[in-house]
Amino acid sequence: LGYYAAEGFTRTQESKKGTIHQTTLCGTESEARELYMEVLASAFGVQPYIENDAKVTVSGRLLRVLFTDVLDAGAGVANKQVPECVLRGSPEILSAYLSGYFSGDGSVENGRLVINATTVSETLKEDLIALLTRLGIKSRVDIQEPILLKNKFPDYYDEDDQKRSATRYVFTISSEDAV
């Protein structure tokens, strides 16, 4: 579930044959994609496939409904949240969720004991703070205001395009923050 919060999404799309339901986990590292393939197949009995160099996808309604409706984990990056069963879970459940989340969305600063992770979901931000606090882990959250996408990705946006990025919440956990 932590990997899904960090790197997953669901989608539906209409086709001539009806509605297509898909659940996708992203990971640029081959080890991550292999883990996704193994866990999805063994835990849910589905047949995931590698969509491209960064995506493992499962077609079918079951997984999409599980993540979005049953667990209420969110369908996309903006509406992600920690499922209630995790929020109320044991310290082992919280640790497993956070491990998956930070493995998927986190990074470690070179030469320092610092972990960073970013989300655009305000609800997920609040939920992650709650999980970390329950485990006695202090964190700092910095808010990065939206920027013009044409400034960040000039090759992909026209000069007169006014689209902005989402507000980003950047978690930092360092050895200095240890309780």
Side-chain angles (χ1 to χ4, degrees), residues 13-74:
Q13 120 186 13
E14 295 301 321
S15 75
K16 292 178 183 178
K17 295 182 180 182
T19 304
I20 298 171
H21 302 266
Q22 293 181 316
T23 302
T24 299
L25 293 169
C26 301
T28 55
E29 300 85 15
S30 61
E31 296 84 13
R33 289 191 306 277
E34 289 169 16
L35 174 67
Y36 301 158
M37 296 282 289
E38 180 183 317
V39 170
L40 289 168
S42 65
F44 300 105
V46 296
Q47 294 184 326
Y49 60 93
I50 296 177
E51 188 174 332
N52 59 37
D53 288 343
K55 294 180 181 177
V56 172
T57 298
V58 174
S59 292
R61 182 182 307 215
L62 175 68
L63 226 49
R64 184 196 61 77
V65 168
L66 175 66
F67 283 113
T68 59
D69 298 340
V70 176
L71 294 171
D72 198 22

Side-chain angles (χ1 to χ4, degrees), residues 14-156:
E14 295 301 321
S15 75
K16 292 178 183 178
K17 295 182 180 182
T19 304
I20 298 171
H21 302 266
Q22 293 181 316
T23 302
T24 299
L25 293 169
C26 301
T28 55
E29 300 85 15
S30 61
E31 296 84 13
R33 289 191 306 277
E34 289 169 16
L35 174 67
Y36 301 158
M37 296 282 289
E38 180 183 317
V39 170
L40 289 168
S42 65
F44 300 105
V46 296
Q47 294 184 326
Y49 60 93
I50 296 177
E51 188 174 332
N52 59 37
D53 288 343
K55 294 180 181 177
V56 172
T57 298
V58 174
S59 292
R61 182 182 307 215
L62 175 68
L63 226 49
R64 184 196 61 77
V65 168
L66 175 66
F67 283 113
T68 59
D69 298 340
V70 176
L71 294 171
D72 198 22
V77 295
N79 61 10
K80 291 282 182 69
Q81 60 186 23
V82 177
E84 192 68 30
C85 61
V86 174
L87 286 169
R88 295 180 184 276
S90 67
E92 294 79 19
I93 297 289
L94 305 184
S95 294
Y97 183 92
L98 290 168
S99 177
Y101 179 78
F102 285 110
S103 291
D105 236 5
S107 63
V108 178
E109 289 186 17
N110 208 2
R112 295 182 59 206
L113 293 175
V114 176
I115 300 170
N116 295 302
T118 303
T119 182
V120 298
S121 168
E122 187 170 5
T123 302
L124 182 59
K125 172 196 66 139
E126 296 297 328
D127 290 348
L128 291 171
I129 290 170
L131 296 184
L132 290 165
T133 301
R134 278 195 52 206
L135 292 174
I137 300 170
K138 290 174 54 180
S139 63
R140 184 178 75 242
V141 179
D142 295 314
I143 299 173
Q144 294 181 346
E145 295 300 329
I147 60 168
L148 288 171
L149 292 172
K150 69 180 179 186
N151 293 343
K152 184 161 182 144
F153 306 105
D155 294 340
Y156 299 100

